[in-house]
Structure formats: structure tokens, C-alpha cells
Amino acid sequence: ELVQLHRSRSDMMNSVADVFQRAALKNLSGLEELLSVADTLRFIEKTSAIMEGNPDALKLAGGTLESLREGFDSFRATLEFAEDIFSWSFPTPLISHFFADPSHIAGLQSTAKELERACTVVVDRQKETDRLAQFDALLWCGSQFEQVVLERLERRNQRALDHIAALRDYLNFLLAEAAARDEGTGPVLSVYLNAGLDYNRLPQAVEFVFYRSAAEAILNADPRLRTHTGATHEDLRKRFRELDREYLELRRKELAIKLSKRDCPPGNSCGPVATLTELALITRVAGQTRPRISVRDLVRRAGNAMQALKPCWMMSPMSVAQYLEPGKLTFDLVIMDEASQIRPEEALGGIARGQKAVIVGDQMQLPPTPFFQRLSTGGAADDDESEEETRQESVLEAAAGRFHPCRRLKWHYRSEHGSLISYSNSEFYDNQLTIFPSPYDGHPEFGVSLVQTKGIYDGGMNQIEGTAVVKAAIEFMNQCPDRSLGIVAINSKQAEFIREELDREVAVDADAAAFVQRWDQTLEALFVKNLENVQGDERDVIFISTVYGKDRNGNFYQRFGPINGIYGHRRLNVLFTRAKKRVTVFTSMVPEEIHEEGKHWGVKVLKGYLQFAREGIAPTTAAGGECESEFERWVLDVLRVHGYEAVPQLGVCGYRIDIAVRDPDRPGVFLCGVECDGATYHSARCVRERDRLRQEILERHGWNLYRIWSTDWFRNPRLQTRQLLDYLQRSRH
């Protein structure tokens, strides 16, 4: 039985081995692999059972499981083909066409072979075209030939066929382009090509690249420019201004200390008062309420001590002759101001008492006047009908004729609007004065204007005109209490009439009275003066009464009193230049009715100024000029693109604002001045003038200044543009 049991097991094992052998299961190393095989077999049996119950699946496999087993490799190839079809994302109709009928695939294969042969022909033709025409697909088609859309290529070729005559020009263009590339413009051309742009502004682009490259080379080669920034430079300018003011203040203190240490001669301090001298005499006199010694005697006996205590004396020529005994005192320096009004004989005493002399004045202002001489002799102080005048030489003219060269003080500080000085600058100073432009270009509260009163000139007065002046003055006091006022009439009779009428109106107008009282406490009190004694005065606003005109019968006798004298033009020059902000001319004359033929220069000046005041146009004056550099033009274009109206090179006669930006919210006013470190900045003769004085004057005139440094703009124009626009926006509020 035991033997039979072993034989039975042996037959079973052989049977299992035959199964393994038929299933190609070899080298099984353990129970786990055997179990895995068993699972696989169960999955196969299950899948086979499913397929036997699915006719569509059996049809796809060939009808039976046996046919599937026999054509397994073909079935796998078909499956891979289907997967490829779906992975290539063909259109759905095409996929349906593939699987609708196997014969369709053969047809597509045939079509594909024909396309392949056609593509081969196209490539051959392309190569032949390249060989014959040096064809550049990128230029011709806009892309590489393999990527070009056939419709676009067809349109391009058809266009060439329709314009065969232009092909020669196109070839010439290509030759020129190639030559340009050889000359170094290849990178610029490539940028244009990649951006799809025409070469319309190619010269400007090449020029820009060239100059930018050159500028970069210069900036990198110079260590000072390489490290320069606007912020650091502005800090230096600010520091310089602070140190310059501090330096001037320290110089004043140093001078005061040196003067305080000078020895003061004690003089004789013993004996009667009549024998006291120098400091002893000054000490005695200083304690007396009413000294009994004359000023001349005091200066004679204590002059040296007085000089030690007060080294700078301010005296008129008459006071010099009256108080300084000849030969007793001398001065290191004598300065004569307003020298055009001093006669040589009056100046001689002061000059003789100094080791050096500086004669300061304006030959186009009032000459020595006989005003006080006529008063002393009982004559009229102001004769309107008299035009006779003797020539009076001043010490200024005497000095100018003997000492060369004369130095002209060119900077004009007073006028805060160019029109206030432009007429005189053109008529008298050959446009040599430096006039700083005003930010109030067309503002009604600045400049020169004319009021036609149609008054009647009678008996040396024009009451209608005078009344108009008084009425306007009262309105001004009520509306502009923060501005000072001066009124000037051509003659003393008119001035006296205006003064009396104004006093009556002020007495009944509380606002006008407050105006007068307020300004009386300052150095710019309200005044009413005539032409002869207004020199040296200045006010914010000046009203001028020209007085002359037609009489009651309509006759205009062309009598202009001192204006038609040999110095009439100088009197008018003084009159026209007294205002800081505005001049209003009240007149009863029409410029065209004034006959200047046979008259002195003053009549011509009067006529010209009336025309100028009426029309508001200064001779040889321009609102703006051309940009001085491409840098300024660049900034100007940026401002205009962003909606700002800007004027380049605003100003005349010596100083200009590089770019003046108008205020969009206030007509007639400039929002700010943009300085671009241009020629005006670099033309300054010294740092103090360039970085402190000019800016202080402009700011005093009302300018807001914004400076752009070219190095900053060059390195980062977008940032600088944003900062500029932000500043303008803040300035508008």
C-alpha cells in the first residue's frame, strides 16, 4: 500500500510538471511565485470568460479566442497603431475615417507618399531658389520656410509677381541692408526685424545708439562722471550755499572784530573843555543833552577818534564840505552813489579826502538838477511850459570819460516781471542788462498796462486824469493791502492835486486809511511825487499820470515840459523803472498824436512807452527760444506727451529758464521752471553765481525750480520722468 501511495504521488507530480512545462513556467524559486502564477491564470480565465460573452470583442479579435491567441502580435500592433492615432490629436472626423474601413488606411498611405514626393520637389525647388536668388525665408516669408503658412507664402509670391518692376529696388534695398550690417548697424537692424518694425526712423535709432554708447564710454572712462549722481551733487550745492552764507557772516564778524581792536586815540583829557580832544572830548560830549560844540569843531578836534570808533561814514557832498575841515581827515576809500546827480565841483571835496574813489551811478538816470537852485532863487519848482534846459555834467560822466573801462552792473534785481524793465533795457542799455524771467507771464497783476482817461490838460493840470488815478488808488488799497503803492505825476502841480484828492478819499475810507497806516510803518510808505524827485524809490506797484493831452478846445500843443529837455529821456527812464510788480500808466494822450520830429529824445521815449504799455509788447522780446541740447528736447517732449504745456528757453537778455512749465489750473502763471544743467548753468563765471545767487533771485521772483541732472536722466529716464511728474502734480496743489 505504501508503495502504491508513492507511485500515485509520483504520477501526480509528473502530471504537474507536464503542465508547468507546457505553460513555460521554469525556474520557480518558491511558493510566492507559484501563487502569483495562479492569480495570473485565474485573471486570464476570467477575462476569457468575459470576452466569450462579448460578440463585439470577439469580432475585433478575429471571432474566437483561439484566433486571438494565434494573431496576438498583429492585435498588439493594431492596438499600438490606434494609440498613436489618438495621441497625435488628429481631428475626430479623420479618426472615424481611419477606423470605418481598413481600406481607408491604404488610401491615406498612398496620399501621404504623394505628399512626401511633392515635399521633396518643393525642397529641391527651395534649394534651387536659394542658389539662384540667395533666398532668405525669414525676410521673404516672415519665418523659416518649414514654418511658413502656405497661404501667406502664396500671397507673398503673388505680390512679387504683381510688382516685378519693384524687385530690383528690393534687391538694392537688401544690398544696402547688407552693407549697413557690415558697417556695424547689425544689432540695430536685428532689433527692428525681431520687433516687426519698418526702418522709418532707422537713422534716429542708429544715432541714438551711437551717442548713447559714446556717452556710456565717456561716463565709464571718467571716474568723476561714473560716480556722479544728482542726489550727491544737490547735497554738495546745498552744503556750498550754507557754507557760503556762513563764510560771508564770519567775514562780517571778522571785520567787526578787527575794527573793534583798532587803537582809539585818547587825546587830551585834562583842562578846560576847549582843550579836550579825541576820545576825551567825545566822552564829554556824549553825556551832554545839548552839546555846545558845533559838529565841524567836534570833527576837527576828535576826528581821528571818531574814525576809530566809526570807520564808515555816510555823508552827502554838501555835508562833507560843511563838516570836514580840509586837510584834517582822510579816508581809505570814497564811494559815491547816485553819481549821475552830483556835479564835479560838489564831488571834488569828497574825492580829495580819499586815497581811492569808486564812482557809482547810471548815466541814463537823472542828471544834476537845478530843482533846489530854483527854489532858493524864488523860481518855479516845476515849469510845465518851459523846455529850456542847460547841459549839466556830472561826476559820473567826468569819470567815465577819463577812466576805462567802466564796469556795468548787469543784473537787474528790482523788476519781478520782464516787461517792467524790457523797454528801458532796449531803449537805453542796448539789451545788456540781465533780466530774470518771471513766472507770472500773463498774470494781470504783473507787467505794464495803460488806462486811457480822455482828460483835459489845462493850467498845468489834468483833473480828470488825476481823479482817475485817485479812484484806482483807492480800489488798489482795498483789494491789494499786501502790496505797496507809489504814485508819480509828470509835474508838481498834478502831483499836488492827486495828493490832496487822495487825502480826502482816504479820510472817508477805513480800508484805505488802514492801508496807509500799515505801510507808513515800513520803508515803502505810500507816496505821491513828481518826476524830479522819484529817483531812488521803489514800490510793488507804480501809478503814472502823464498829465499832458488836449485842451478844452481839442488842441494838442505838443508841449511836454522837462520831458522835451536834453535830459528828458533820463527822467522817463527813472520813472519807468520804479516798480517791482506792476506799472499802470494813466494818460490822456494817444501815441500816434505825438509828433517826435524836431523834439528831444525824451518825446520819442514817451511815445514809444505809451505804445508799449498799450500793446504790452516789448521791443526785441521773445517768449521762448529753441532747446539748447537734445537732452532738453527730450525732457520737453516727455512733458508735452504727458499733457503739460512747456516753453523752452524762456526769457530774454542774459538769463533763460531751460524749460518753463505752464500751470494748467492758473492761466498766465508758470507752474515751475525745469533746469537741465544746460548752457546757462555752465556759463556762470563762479560757483557762487551759478549755485546760489541765480537760484535765490529766481525763487525771490516766485519761481519753483526743479533740476534734472543729465547723468541721472541718461541712466534712468523712466525714474526721472516719474519723479518730475510727481513734483509737478504736487506743485499744483
Side-chain angles (χ1 to χ4, degrees):
E1 293 180 0
L2 182 60
V3 171
Q4 186 64 32
L5 179 62
H6 284 298
R7 285 179 178 175
S8 161
R9 291 179 177 177
S10 175
D11 292 339
M12 186 178 62
M13 293 297 294
N14 289 332
S15 200
V16 171
D18 290 340
V19 173
F20 283 160
Q21 186 175 3
R22 288 195 304 272
L25 296 175
K26 299 178 181 179
N27 300 325
L28 293 175
S29 59
L31 181 61
E32 293 181 357
E33 292 184 0
L34 184 60
L35 293 175
S36 176
V37 170
D39 292 338
T40 302
L41 289 174
R42 284 193 294 271
F43 175 75
I44 292 174
E45 291 176 355
K46 182 179 179 181
T47 304
S48 299
I50 293 174
M51 290 192 66
E52 288 178 349
N54 189 339
D56 293 335
L58 289 175
K59 182 180 179 180
L60 181 64
T64 63
L65 290 177
E66 287 74 11
S67 60
L68 173 62
R69 294 188 181 100
E70 292 174 357
F72 180 75
D73 291 339
S74 299
F75 185 77
R76 182 166 54 187
T78 301
L79 182 61
E80 291 176 353
F81 173 74
E83 290 177 347
D84 289 341
I85 291 297
F86 281 99
S87 66
W88 289 340
S89 301
F90 285 121
T92 302
L94 181 61
I95 295 176
S96 300
H97 183 74
F98 278 149
F99 295 105
D101 189 341
S103 63
H104 292 169
I105 298 177
L108 289 174
Q109 288 177 337
S110 175
T111 303
K113 290 180 180 180
E114 292 179 2
L115 287 175
E116 184 178 3
R117 287 193 298 271
C119 288
T120 302
V121 173
V122 171
V123 171
D124 293 340
R125 295 294 184 270
Q126 176 193 351
K127 293 180 180 179
E128 185 68 13
T129 303
D130 292 345
R131 186 182 67 82
L132 293 175
Q134 298 182 0
F135 182 73
D136 189 332
L138 191 62
L139 285 176
W140 189 259
C141 308
S143 61
Q144 295 299 329
F145 188 80
E146 295 80 4
Q147 303 170 351
V148 68
V149 179
L150 293 178
E151 289 80 0
R152 180 175 182 180
L153 178 60
E154 184 179 4
R155 290 195 303 270
R156 188 72 175 86
N157 293 341
Q158 187 61 47
R159 183 180 178 186
L161 291 174
D162 295 341
H163 301 84
I164 294 178
L167 288 178
R168 171 55 59 185
D169 294 334
Y170 182 66
L171 291 176
N172 292 336
F173 163 75
L174 294 178
L175 292 174
E177 186 182 49
R181 291 182 182 277
D182 294 339
E183 293 296 329
T185 62
V188 181
L189 298 179
S190 298
V191 171
Y192 268 85
L193 184 61
N194 294 333
L197 299 176
D198 293 332
Y199 292 151
N200 293 333
R201 302 189 66 185
L202 180 62
Q204 293 88 339
V206 172
E207 186 177 11
F208 173 80
V209 171
F210 170 77
Y211 283 112
R212 184 173 182 86
S213 301
E216 287 179 347
I218 294 173
L219 290 174
N220 294 330
D222 191 327
R224 296 170 299 178
L225 294 177
R226 187 169 60 247
T227 59
H228 177 272
T229 65
T232 56
H233 196 82
E234 281 297 333
D235 288 340
L236 288 175
R237 296 177 72 234
K238 180 180 179 181
R239 182 60 177 157
F240 168 77
R241 290 193 292 267
E242 293 173 352
L243 292 176
D244 190 45
R245 297 188 188 96
E246 183 179 352
Y247 170 77
L248 294 177
E249 184 61 29
L250 291 175
R251 289 287 292 172
R252 295 188 186 98
K253 293 180 179 179
E254 179 187 22
L255 177 60
I257 291 174
K258 287 182 178 180
L259 294 176
S260 67
K261 293 181 178 180
R262 295 177 61 183
D263 293 333
C264 182
N268 181 31
S269 59
C270 301
V273 175
T275 62
L276 300 180
T277 60
E278 303 300 349
L279 183 59
L281 178 59
I282 294 175
T283 303
R284 174 64 66 86
V285 173
Q288 297 176 354
T289 304
R290 299 182 62 182
R292 288 176 291 179
I293 185 174
S294 66
V295 176
R296 183 180 180 87
D297 191 25
L298 177 64
V299 174
R300 179 179 61 80
R301 294 164 54 187
N304 294 324
M306 293 174 66
Q307 277 188 315
L309 295 172
K310 299 290 183 182
C312 182
W313 294 19
M314 184 178 294
M315 308 175 71
S316 67
M318 185 180 297
S319 299
V320 171
Q322 184 176 357
Y323 299 127
L324 303 185
E325 187 174 325
K328 293 295 183 180
L329 289 179
T330 60
F331 296 84
D332 298 322
L333 177 66
V334 173
I335 301 176
M336 288 194 170
D337 194 17
E338 299 289 0
S340 65
Q341 296 190 71
I342 304 176
R343 295 181 178 84
E345 59 270 21
E346 296 171 347
L348 185 60
I351 295 175
R353 290 170 171 83
Q355 298 181 13
K356 295 181 180 180
V358 175
I359 312 299
V360 183
D362 186 349
Q363 289 180 273
M364 285 298 165
Q365 293 196 359
L366 286 179
T369 174
F371 177 76
F372 294 105
Q373 290 181 352
R374 291 199 299 267
L375 286 180
S376 62
T377 57
D382 188 32
D383 186 359
D384 295 320
E385 304 301 326
S386 174
E387 299 178 355
E388 296 297 328
E389 190 173 26
T390 59
R391 185 171 297 276
Q392 300 285 334
E393 184 183 36
S394 68
V395 66
L396 179 64
E397 293 170 318
R402 291 163 178 79
F403 300 103
H404 297 280
C406 295
R407 291 191 177 184
R408 173 174 285 180
L409 303 178
K410 294 186 176 182
W411 282 20
H412 180 76
Y413 298 93
R414 175 183 297 136
S415 301
E416 298 179 15
H417 193 277
S419 64
L420 298 174
I421 188 62
S422 59
Y423 183 86
S424 291
N425 193 25
S426 173
E427 186 72 25
F428 303 116
Y429 302 111
D430 302 320
N431 287 314
Q432 294 298 308
L433 296 181
T434 298
I435 301 175
F436 293 90
S438 171
Y440 305 101
D441 178 49
H443 199 281
E445 295 183 6
F446 290 81
V448 181
S449 61
L450 182 139
V451 175
Q452 182 60 248
T453 62
K454 299 181 180 180
I456 297 174
Y457 178 63
D458 183 26
M461 288 193 308
N462 191 326
Q463 293 188 9
I464 296 177
E465 184 175 296
T467 302
V469 172
V470 172
K471 180 181 179 181
I474 295 298
E475 292 179 357
F476 176 84
M477 295 179 197
N478 293 331
Q479 297 174 5
C480 305
D482 296 330
R483 294 192 176 187
S484 58
L485 175 65
I487 302 174
V488 184
I490 295 298
N491 59 30
S492 59
K493 290 182 180 179
Q494 184 78 356
E496 185 62 28
F497 172 77
I498 293 175
R499 186 181 298 109
E500 292 176 355
E501 291 296 314
L502 187 62
D503 289 342
R504 278 195 289 268
E505 293 294 331
V506 169
V508 297
D509 190 309
D511 291 336
F515 177 95
V516 174
Q517 183 178 4
R518 174 186 177 184
W519 285 101
D520 277 346
Q521 300 173 3
T522 69
L523 297 177
E524 295 191 9
L526 172 70
F527 70 72
V528 180
K529 294 185 178 182
N530 66 321
L531 183 62
E532 295 287 343
N533 57 1
V534 74
Q535 181 162 325
D537 289 314
E538 65 176 31
R539 295 294 185 269
D540 291 329
V541 178
I542 294 292
F543 287 173
I544 298 175
S545 174
T546 59
V547 185
Y548 305 113
K550 296 180 180 179
D551 63 12
R552 298 184 183 278
N553 299 320
N555 300 315
F556 189 11
Y557 289 105
Q558 305 285 324
R559 298 191 184 113
F560 302 102
I563 293 178
N564 194 30
I566 57 177
Y567 297 118
H569 60 289
R570 292 166 65 168
R571 291 182 170 89
L572 291 176
N573 183 38
V574 172
L575 175 61
F576 298 155
T577 56
R578 298 301 96 196
K580 292 184 285 186
K581 300 181 185 298
R582 177 160 60 98
V583 168
T584 301
V585 181
F586 295 83
T587 186
S588 303
M589 296 180 285
V590 177
E592 288 74 16
E593 295 179 350
I594 298 177
H595 302 155
E596 56 184 283
E597 296 80 5
K599 303 288 186 179
H600 285 291
W601 188 2
V603 178
K604 172 181 175 295
V605 170
L606 176 62
K607 179 179 180 179
Y609 191 77
L610 291 178
Q611 290 175 329
F612 164 62
R614 182 182 63 188
E615 299 167 7
I617 301 175
T620 67
T621 296
E626 295 294 329
C627 293
E628 293 184 340
S629 67
E630 291 301 319
F631 169 41
E632 290 182 14
R633 191 180 306 279
W634 189 357
V635 177
L636 181 66
D637 290 342
V638 167
L639 288 169
R640 289 175 174 173
V641 165
H642 286 85
Y644 285 97
E645 183 181 356
V647 180
Q649 295 300 311
L650 177 76
V652 291
C653 303
Y655 190 89
R656 295 177 181 267
I657 298 291
D658 292 337
I659 300 175
V661 184
R662 295 190 183 277
D663 192 331
D665 307 318
R666 296 185 296 167
V669 178
F670 285 105
L671 183 63
C672 87
V674 179
E675 296 284 76
C676 299
D677 63 18
T680 300
Y681 181 78
H682 296 291
S683 64
R685 293 178 296 178
C686 65
V687 178
R688 176 178 292 165
E689 174 184 331
R690 182 188 67 198
D691 288 322
R692 184 171 73 85
L693 296 180
R694 282 180 174 176
Q695 180 167 338
E696 288 180 353
I697 294 173
L698 289 171
E699 289 176 348
R700 190 165 66 238
H701 280 53
W703 278 102
N704 294 319
L705 297 179
Y706 184 89
R707 184 170 293 280
I708 303 175
W709 299 102
S710 53
T711 52
D712 288 349
W713 186 274
F714 175 79
R715 292 188 178 109
N716 196 339
R718 291 186 179 180
L719 174 62
Q720 295 300 314
T721 297
R722 186 170 67 252
Q723 292 177 347
L724 172 59
L725 296 177
D726 289 345
Y727 176 82
L728 293 176
Q729 189 63 32
R730 292 194 304 270
S731 299
R732 294 176 63 176
H733 300 291

